[in-house]
Amino acid sequence: MSETRDRIGDTLLAVENVSLAFGGVRALSEVSFEIREHEILAIIGPNGAGKSSMLNVINGFYHPQDGAITYKGNKRKQMRPHHAAATGIARTFQNIALFKGMSTLDNIMTGRLLKMHRNFLWQALYWGPALREEMEHREAAERIIDFLEIQSIRKTPVGRLPYGLQKRVELGRALAAEPDLLLLDEPMAGMNVEEKEDMCRFILDVSDEFGTTIALIEHDMGVVMDISDRVIVLDYGRKIADGTPDEVRGNPAVIDAYLGVSH
Amino acid sequence: MSDALTLTRGDRSAGDDRRPILQVNNIEVIYDHVILVLKGVSLSVAEGGIVALLGANGAGKTTTLKAISNLLRAERGDVTKGTIEFAGERVDRLSPYELVKRGVIQVMEGRHCFEHLTIEENLLTGAYTRRDGRAAIQQDLEKVYTYFPRLKERRASQAGYTSGGEQQMCAIGRALMSRPKMILLDEPSMGLAPQLVEGIFETVKRLNDEEGVTFLLAEQNTNMALKYARYGYILENGRVVLDGDAKTLADNEDVKEFYLGLSASGRKSYRDVKHYKRRKRWLA
Amino acid sequence: MLYREAGQFKTDYAADQAIFPILQDRIFLGLFLLLALVAVPLLANEYWLSTILIPFLVFSLAAIGLNLLTGYCGQLSLGTGGFMACGAFFAFKLATAFPDLHIAVVFLLAGVGTAGVGILFGIPSLRIKGFYLAVATLAAQFFLVWVFNKFPWWVNYSSSGVISAPAREIVPGFFITGTQASPVTKYVFLLVFVAILALVAKNLVRGKMGRSWMAIRDMDIAAEIVGIRPLHAKLSAFAISSFFIGIAGALWAFIYTGSVEALAFQIDRSFQVLFMIIIGGLGSILGSFLGAAFIVLLPIFLNNTMLAVDPSISTAIVSHIEFMIFGALIILFLIVEPHGLARLWQITKEKLRLWPFPY
Amino acid sequence: TAQEKQFVPGLMYRSGPYAPNGVPFANGLADYFKMVNAKGGINGVQIEYEECDTAYNNDRGVECYERLKKPGAAAITPLSTGITYALIDRATADKIPVLSMGYGRTAGSDGTVFPYVFTLPATYWSGADVIVNHIAQNEGGYDKLKGKKIALVYHDSAYGKEPIGTLEALAAAHGFELSLFPVAHPGLEQKATWLQIGRQLRPDWVLMWGWGVMNSTAIKEAAAVAYPMDHFIGIWWSGSEQDVTPAGDQAKGYKSANFHGTGTDYPAIKDIIKLVQDAGNGTGPRDEVGTVLYNRGVMNGAIIVEAIRTAQDKYGKKALLGEQIRDGFEALNIDAARLEAMGLTGFMEPIKITCADHEGTGRAFIQQWDGKGWNKVSDWIEPNRAGLLRPMIVEAAAAYAAEKGIKARDCK
Amino acid sequence: MTAPRAFLPWLIAVPVAIGSIGLLFQLLGGLVPSFFFAWGYYFEVLIAGLLQGVMYSLVALGFVLIFKASSIFNFAQGSMALFAALTMVGFMEMGVWWPFAFIISAGVMVLVAVVIERVVLRPLVNQDHIILFMATIGIFYILDGLGQMLWGSDVKVLDIGIPRDPMFALGAIFEGGILINQYDFVAALTGGVLVAVLAVFFQYTRTGRALRAVADDHQAALSVGIPLKTIWVIVWSVAGIVALVAGIIWGGKAGVQFSLALIALKALPVLILGGFTSIPGAIIGGLIIGAGEQVAEVFLGHFVGGAIQDWFAYMLALVFLVFRPQGLFGERIIERV
Ligand SMILES: Nc1ncnc2c1ncn2[C@@H]1O[C@H](COP(=O)(O)OP(=O)(O)OP(=O)(O)O)[C@@H](O)[C@H]1O
Ligand SMILES: Nc1ncnc2c1ncn2[C@@H]1O[C@H](COP(=O)(O)OP(=O)(O)OP(=O)(O)O)[C@@H](O)[C@H]1O
Ligand SMILES: [Mg+2]
Ligand SMILES: [Mg+2]
């Protein structure tokens, strides 16, 4: 564990007093926490607690009514999702949001779009610098494909893939952007143990090899407790706990609101 | 592979001692005229039973359930071989509407709530086939709300704006509203908080005990599934590779390793899973 | 047996990303082009050239244009007719104002102009989606046709509002517009021109731009979160799509009919092109060609066949039956293969690869 | 040989939005040819008539043309101004005469620039002049037109725009005020137009260049704003039974121009009834014979047959080529005697075509609807061709020639 | 239905808008003399537009019904109107009294609905919306061809005795009174009643809920036992009968012939303005479009050469859409991840 602790650096992103409401529904109320560089942070909480909304706020899809977010030292209240992407935030989604009509490879390549710069005239020619650029990124995409062990479905349209593989491709797409902050919304939902093991391994490897900071939402406590450095717990839009897995596991409020007695 | 297990292929009697209410005989399913997904699946579910359908992603669980509830055609899939019987009657050519009337309803994977309808309206659509009057429907609505109090809070919200878990509850509640004899549950626990997962399985058990509803559930949460089911089938690559009592299955070494994440030394941490572990498969 | 890729290994990604990675496909394409460039002009008669092949090529280009927008970027548009009109009238103004400008340049510039108009009418797509957008693009359709119909400046003050293409050569001695142009030159020019543009389209869709379009099409919200700017992606799709459609409009007026009035680009034209891409296959360049062939040929084929079978039936009955069969065939095709002829072709190839096994 | 047949293509429309008007015309044309054939053909040469359905659609028209064209085609009848425009170049190159009778490109009457286009017996420009002439007669002379308000309701297309230039010239010459009201295709919506006309502008006369459903809608809307019908005059394409019957009694009093007779009281038409309809060979129903558009189809057929006959005088009594028949058209001289022989005395005015002038007299008359039938309410009116129209035509043709790089023919 | 309070702002906004547009024109009239007009004339145009608008609504209504129930954008609605009217006239020409002819034609439309469900919709269940849209274009062609083949393509007169004479109202206030077209008035009344009845029927019944469920997700609707077949037959039948009414009214105006199928195009701006899924939206949209385009054509048209009606309606709708992408009363477009 100690090597992990060393790894963790300064605050990468700080959420301060964020509140978000939809009509009468308060999805988030005055939530504050921070994500530190290189850590794996888990966000847990009952259904409808506001976890996904929190990620949406972080990457600019929802605009909070109140509060601010400081990312890499810049404070902001609002931004468009594509700006968030440009500053190095990538994510996956709770309900898979892959581009269904495209192949696995193309999906991963879209993750790299921000890094491609040839203008469209070159693209139209598909030759010279454009081709070279395309090939560079293809290689990067292939590295991710190898990493995630999805070589065999490279050319398959993702719409036809089974759920678990889709989740993996989605992770691949997020990784392709080489993000500084990776947000994962229930990456392991709908997987069996074996696949969860694989997924955990990927997440840990990403963290180790690329030093990417990861915030993940997950309902499988086994996974959360095993792989996260820190856990925060939301309930009804409020943060009710924040600490190491062990601290959180013992917290009566958390047991009450989320874990249930049997755990 | 343990000797306690029978390798079934078309061996239907292996199900349960009670009368089978659902019989699937050697079905083959093809999507898009070319993609062969199920390669002769047989299973049977006893009346009042809870049967789990286990298997990795893409094994064909969903496809099997859809074949039973006749939702395949809407996806350009087709049952090309085999038969499906419910309560002694062949149902593979019935419309989903007829099936629901006969008491078979499916809760689809991935929620599929009606986005623009409110939660309550969603639940009410479940009662579409019923003809037993408003009062009875109202009563069942209340019952669903007692199973899922969260839904009551959100009853007037459009389903499209509720959280993933809330939608899952809504989908299950909607199925309950049809007063089914048999529910085909596709990954009910996906995306639910642990407390609720337990809640859902308890609900399943209660419905099974108190109202005699039969369940066939496809589930990734093998742990839970085997805890509540009486019988289980393991599907791989479109074939049933293993079936048996839930207990027997749970004790099987391979199942333990691949589906329960247990090794000889007990549950191992996700952190310690070895790299480059390759899957072992019953079928190549 | 013959259609196998076994033994064809690729050693770099470029080869793997080629449009036709399989050798047999390349051979087939080569033969096909040879046939189209050499055999067809030699063998086809004037009727075939000027009423089937030429409009087919022009429509293919329009279909590619619409396919970029609708098939690849998911923005349903019913304004194709209006954009074709832009191309036609821009080209006419350019060609008559600058008689020395080479005709191919005129076509390209007309396309560029249309692209500008496309961007303008694409702006609402940032907020409006699906069928709402489709109907909103009708605003472009009606407005543009009205503009060209209403202001005589566009037709150089001809009293009737009809423009006719001035005679121009593609290379000295070979006229492609005007009365002197022979169908063969027209055809060969079109074939080459359209083939080049189709290649450009293909390059665009398999590169960065195409991916951002498809991402927007498949899930615009996720696309934005991945970092694609909806504004750029949608407007570039509108621009490039209009560029192709504008050129198609210019070719229509200059090479196919030779003279048009704005009303030739009525809403039916938009629907016609939409049919092509749906029947041919959304999101497929090949599909655009197949769809264009189908929609151009089918009515003529039905009409001619019925008359050939029984020359004495009234043309009214023939027309009505033709309508009904056309409609029925569209439905039938959609039922058999909703993803269009291109998909059918792909499935055939897949079956061929598996042959003699069924799957 | 006696078995030789003269091929005549017809680009008709029996489907599409304008079918109600296209069908009787096509029937009249076909029946006339059947009648001629029944009477032994043109000097023994039978007519082989083939139709293609354009649905009033320009590109379908081009396809039909390409399908039916052959060197032996006598003349093309495009029956649509748009299609005529699209075919002029092609037909000229293929050497097939285009007969656009009372429609099409007015400038086409200049035979020096358009050797293969024939606009007889009248063009839109003549039509406009004739109608204004009629108005002047009603008002008591051209000088009374000064300060009068005349509105033109027109189909917003090449067709509808044709008369504008002429009317503007006339307005300038005679001091009336011309207001223009375009109506968008297909013309189902004219509420705004007629509110403006009937409730605000209140013009003294309204002219109409409409086609298809636009005509009947206009008549109904005019009635709805209580515009006096007898001050509402349509061009010949706006004056058929199809246009007035849907409006019922409201259409009573409506006027239109025409250049041929209606009814069945002509020997040729009686022949059609006897030899074609009664022989069970009629293309359409019996009671259609004698209606305006049917008779116009008959006239179209008669002119083609006469052109062929004239050409045969020069090239022999056999099936001829299009370019030979063009010469027949240019030598066409249907005088009273010829009309008598054709059985069409009183049906139409004598026509004489020359190499330079492909229009003829341009004469027309005004008819009025009485709720049951059309009555001729004016004499044949002679348009001011020499003084006004012909120079305009020559100018327009010259502009076209310049644009296209065509060298005008010398007709001397 | 949108809550009643949502209509309140409208009750105020609409008269204000009407008044201020009128005033604007008055002001312009001060600047450009040719522009001058009487208030009576302005109201005349406005009323004519509103009446016309309700007639558009009638056609739009058919679209809405089908879209609500199946998310299908039914391009064939126009040709259904034509086909229905042709059938009705056909029977009337055979001497059937018009109410009977109406009933028979309604029956024919139900039959058409059954056939469409069986042959087109059922095999295409769960397909992309654009595919279904395309299929309806196929239906458009078939109905067009069939209608004309069966009943011929000449103009048919359809007269069920709606009065047509001009009528002048409010003579006391405006000089010469305000001209109201009686036919349009009756037509608009019919349209209004039909819309009201359907709105109630679909909003307050079990069927209504099922309809909206089907529109959201075919497969899920199937899975809970909603019989798509029956639902579709009901909806297409009702849409067919609405088409029949529209066909009678428009056919009575313009004669029954091919061009009738094209009025569908006029219903589209109404549809997007009101919202694809809202029955009341169809009528409000119709009123706005009708009044808007009529006023624009009369008062602005001649500055730019006229015949602007067609695109003006679309532009108007487009401008509204930019502010409310789902139309005035359409369901909110749900955007979530
Ligand atoms: N509509 C379809 N068209 C083509 N192939 C399909 C379709 N639906 C599923 N498949 C394929 O069928 C196979 C079985 O899929 P199915 O969804 O039944 O698996 P599953 O066991 O339910 O997996 P999961 O646990 O991921 O839900 C997969 O390989 C999938 O790619
Ligand atoms: N766009 C929206 N409009 C209205 N309500 C919303 C919207 N997004 C989220 N909500 C509501 O906010 C609450 C929090 O939702 P959120 O999706 O963040 O929950 P969650 O914690 O991710 O739950 P789950 O674990 O079930 O996914 C829910 O009650 C949800 O209904
Ligand atoms: Mg969530
Ligand atoms: Mg599944």
Side-chain angles (χ1 to χ4, degrees), chain C residues 46-47 50-51 59 92 96 146 148-150 158-162 164-167 178-179 186 252 255-259 261 263-264 266 268-269 272 299-300 303-304 307 314-316 319-320 322-323, chain D residues 12 14-16 23 50-53 57-60 62-64 66-69 81-82 85-87 89-90 92-94 105 125 154-159 161-162 165 182 185 400 403-406:
Chain C
E46 204 185 319
Y47 173 70
S50 59
T51 64
F59 267 131
F92 177 71
T96 49
W146 177 83
F148 296 121
N149 194 28
K150 188 56 55 180
S158 113
S159 68
S160 54
V162 177
S164 33
T179 29
K186 286 181 177 183
W252 175 281
I255 296 188
Y256 174 40
T257 53
S259 84
E261 59 179 319
L263 297 182
Q266 291 274 14
D268 324 21
R269 192 73 58 227
Q272 215 175 359
I300 297 178
N303 201 299
N304 279 326
L307 284 174
S314 129
T315 52
S319 285
H320 298 151
E322 176 201 317
F323 251 57
Chain D
M12 300 289 122
R14 294 172 181 274
S15 64
V23 169
E50 190 173 340
E51 237 177 50
C52 180
D53 190 1
N57 181 331
N58 288 1
D59 34 317
R60 251 337 244 285
V62 172
E63 190 265 323
C64 277
E66 294 286 344
R67 193 195 307 176
L68 295 183
K69 81 169 189 203
T81 297
Y85 269 87
L87 294 187
D89 279 356
R90 289 168 196 264
T92 306
D94 296 328
R105 184 165 212 144
W125 298 5
Y154 65 96
H155 194 261
D156 201 3
S157 65
Y159 153 58
K161 288 176 191 168
E162 277 279 346
H185 160 92
Y400 179 83
E403 188 184 307
K404 284 272 182 177
I406 298 171

Side-chain angles (χ1 to χ4, degrees), chain B residues 62 109 186-187:
Chain B
T62 302
E109 175 183 42
D186 202 352
E187 312 226 359

Side-chain angles (χ1 to χ4, degrees), chain B residues 103-221:
Chain B
V104 185
I105 194 161
Q106 174 168 9
V107 177
M108 291 205 290
E109 175 183 42
R111 295 148 198 155
H112 285 277
C113 292
F114 302 121
E115 293 189 327
H116 290 98
L117 270 58
T118 62
I119 292 284
E120 183 152 319
E121 284 176 320
N122 261 284
L123 295 178
L124 287 174
T125 54
Y128 185 86
T129 46
R130 284 171 61 173
R131 293 286 181 273
D132 51 358
R134 258 165 211 264
I137 292 176
Q138 202 55 40
Q139 211 178 338
D140 282 359
L141 192 64
E142 286 311 319
K143 207 155 80 191
V144 170
Y145 284 143
T146 49
Y147 290 139
F148 305 111
R150 179 84 192 166
L151 289 186
K152 191 159 189 174
E153 285 168 42
R154 309 278 289 140
R155 66 201 289 175
S157 316
Q158 281 193 328
Y161 286 111
T162 56
S163 84
E166 288 160 351
Q167 290 183 14
Q168 183 68 52
M169 297 181 233
C170 174
I172 297 175
R174 188 173 65 187
L176 292 182
M177 289 299 293
S178 76
R179 282 229 172 160
K181 286 205 196 87
M182 171 165 196
I183 301 184
L184 310 170
L185 266 181
D186 202 352
E187 312 226 359
S189 74
M190 183 159 75
L192 292 187
Q195 213 183 13
L196 257 174
V197 173
E198 206 127 334
I200 287 201
F201 278 99
E202 283 300 327
T203 311
V204 166
K205 198 171 156 51
R206 241 170 86 189
L207 284 166
N208 181 256
D209 288 346
E210 292 167 14
E211 304 183 21
V213 180
T214 311
F215 284 88
L216 174 58
L217 54 99
E219 190 42 86
Q220 292 284 12
N221 191 337

Side-chain angles (χ1 to χ4, degrees), chain A residues 169-196:
Chain A
V169 175
E170 211 184 12
L171 176 63
R173 184 179 69 189
L175 289 179
E178 298 171 16
D180 301 318
L181 175 60
L182 179 61
L183 309 172
L184 304 173
D185 198 345
E186 302 195 12
M188 278 156 254
M191 294 191 171
N192 63 17
V193 174
E194 197 183 5
E195 287 155 337
K196 280 181 183 167

Side-chain angles (χ1 to χ4, degrees), chain C residues 4 43 65 78 128-129 171 179 211 215 228 250 298 332 340 348:
Chain C
R4 290 287 146 85
L43 298 177
L78 296 176
I128 307 172
K129 299 188 175 142
V171 287
T179 29
R211 286 195 198 101
I228 294 165
L298 183 66
L332 187 76
T348 319

Side-chain angles (χ1 to χ4, degrees), chain C:
Chain C
M1 205 36 238
L2 288 171
Y3 194 72
R4 290 287 146 85
E5 54 194 305
Q8 299 180 26
F9 299 108
K10 288 157 205 120
T11 46
D12 59 2
Y13 293 133
D16 188 47
Q17 307 243 79
I19 302 178
F20 299 101
I22 301 174
L23 180 67
Q24 284 89 333
D25 277 344
R26 286 195 296 270
I27 296 175
F28 179 73
L29 182 82
L31 284 177
F32 184 79
L33 277 181
L34 204 69
L35 191 80
L37 259 177
V38 181
V40 168
L42 287 178
L43 298 177
N45 62 16
E46 204 185 319
Y47 173 70
W48 266 85
L49 282 174
S50 59
T51 64
I52 293 174
L53 292 172
I54 289 178
F56 156 68
L57 287 169
V58 175
F59 267 131
S60 300
L61 193 61
I64 290 173
L66 185 62
N67 220 335
L68 294 181
L69 184 63
T70 302
Y72 284 93
C73 194
Q75 311 296 306
L76 186 52
S77 160
L78 296 176
T80 317
F83 294 126
M84 283 177 81
C86 278
F89 284 87
F90 289 173
F92 177 71
K93 283 308 278 187
L94 282 168
T96 49
F98 308 101
D100 296 330
L101 209 56
H102 190 270
I103 189 71
V105 179
V106 167
F107 291 151
L108 292 176
L109 286 179
V112 172
T114 313
V117 178
I119 290 178
L120 216 61
F121 281 99
I123 292 172
S125 72
L126 297 176
R127 298 249 320 144
I128 307 172
K129 299 188 175 142
F131 284 117
Y132 285 94
L133 179 67
V135 178
T137 54
L138 285 176
Q141 169 68 47
F142 286 108
F143 180 72
L144 291 171
V145 170
W146 177 83
V147 164
F148 296 121
N149 194 28
K150 188 56 55 180
F151 300 102
W153 180 80
W154 291 109
V155 294
N156 288 348
Y157 302 97
S158 113
S159 68
S160 54
V162 177
I163 54 171
S164 33
R168 294 283 184 276
E169 300 151 312
I170 181 70
V171 287
F174 288 93
F175 280 93
I176 54 165
T177 63
T179 29
Q180 299 100 306
S182 89
V184 173
T185 8
K186 286 181 177 183
Y187 166 77
V188 171
F189 164 73
L190 271 182
L191 186 67
V192 173
F193 197 61
V194 171
I196 293 172
L197 285 170
L199 186 67
V200 166
K202 183 77 196 173
N203 286 344
L204 285 176
V205 299
R206 64 196 174 130
K208 172 185 172 187
M209 196 164 266
R211 286 195 198 101
S212 49
W213 291 343
M214 290 188 274
I216 290 278
R217 168 195 71 189
D218 285 347
M219 202 164 209
D220 51 353
I221 298 170
E224 188 173 359
I225 288 170
V226 168
I228 294 165
R229 302 172 69 169
L231 180 84
H232 281 201
K234 287 185 182 171
L235 291 189
S236 65
F238 265 95
I240 292 177
S241 152
S242 312
F243 173 76
F244 280 85
I245 295 173
I247 294 181
L251 295 175
W252 175 281
F254 275 59
I255 296 188
Y256 174 40
T257 53
S259 84
V260 285
E261 59 179 319
L263 297 182
F265 301 106
Q266 291 274 14
I267 176 139
D268 324 21
R269 192 73 58 227
S270 306
F271 278 118
Q272 215 175 359
V273 181
L274 187 67
F275 289 167
M276 293 176 185
I277 64 167
I278 296 178
I279 294 282
L282 287 170
S284 158
I285 301 289
L286 173 70
S288 309
F289 283 98
L290 296 178
F294 186 82
I295 298 290
V296 169
L297 272 176
L298 183 66
I300 297 178
F301 172 78
L302 287 176
N303 201 299
N304 279 326
T305 330
M306 272 186 279
L307 284 174
V309 170
D310 179 3
S312 67
I313 38 177
S314 129
T315 52
I317 303 278
V318 171
S319 285
H320 298 151
I321 294 183
E322 176 201 317
F323 251 57
M324 290 165 60
I325 297 182
F326 184 71
L329 278 179
I330 285 180
I331 294 174
L332 187 76
F333 261 87
L334 293 176
I335 292 173
V336 172
E337 183 47 68
H339 296 103
L341 297 171
R343 179 64 159 276
L344 220 52
W345 171 243
Q346 213 179 341
I347 291 179
T348 319
K349 281 209 302 191
E350 231 150 85
K351 290 215 162 169
L352 212 60
R353 210 178 286 181
L354 293 169
W355 188 84
F357 306 105
Y359 31 73

Side-chain angles (χ1 to χ4, degrees), chain A residues 48 51-53 94 185-186 217 219, chain B residues 163-165, chain E residues 336:
Chain A
K51 306 178 294 297
S52 301
S53 304
Q94 182 170 7
D185 198 345
E186 302 195 12
I217 297 175
H219 283 303
Chain B
S163 84
Chain E
R336 285 213 51 189

